[in-house]
């Protein structure tokens, strides 16, 4: 059980380089299933309760539930494991 079998990994999707916005994407020709999402991402819940990821800055900041945890190598939020587990169980 690892990130490849679960098809889940966290990667850079956006960068600000010398004041210029850059979408970042991984699209390996050997495995199209590993294509990553690009640009500024938001995670939003629809009215029916489904979770969707909006890419390339198309999402709504007001609906986004993603939280900045790291910035410039600094930990901003220290989530405890029990809190993460409860959240994953819908609590």
């Amino acid at each position: 059980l690892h990130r490849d079998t679960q098809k889940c990994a966290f990667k850079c999707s956006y960068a600000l380089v010398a004041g210029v916005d850059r979408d970042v994407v991984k699209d390996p020709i050997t495995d199209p299933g590993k294509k990553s999402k690009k640009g500024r991402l938001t995670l939003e819940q629809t009215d029916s309760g489904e979770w969707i990821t909006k890419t390339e800055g198309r999402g709504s900041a007001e609906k986004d539930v993603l939280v900045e945890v790291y910035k410039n190598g600094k930990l901003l939020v220290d989530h405890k494991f029990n809190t993460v587990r409860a959240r994953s169980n819908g609590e």
Side-chain angles (χ1 to χ4, degrees), residues 1-47:
L1 187 65
H2 51 75
R3 70 183 186 120
D4 288 336
T5 60
Q6 297 301 300
K7 296 224 176 244
C8 178
F10 296 92
K11 299 175 179 75
C12 174
S13 63
Y14 164 85
L16 182 63
V17 180
V20 178
D21 293 329
R22 306 265 184 188
D23 289 347
V24 178
V25 65
K26 178 182 122 178
D27 191 7
I29 59 172
T30 56
D31 189 350
K34 288 188 174 182
K35 182 176 181 178
S36 64
K37 295 174 180 171
K38 69 178 176 177
R40 290 184 181 253
L41 306 177
T42 60
L43 179 62
E44 304 175 17
Q45 193 168 25
T46 65
D47 292 336

Side-chain angles (χ1 to χ4, degrees), residues 43 45 60 64 71 84 87-88 90:
L43 179 62
Q45 193 168 25
S60 165
D64 187 16
K71 185 172 185 174
V84 174
R87 188 180 310 134
S88 74

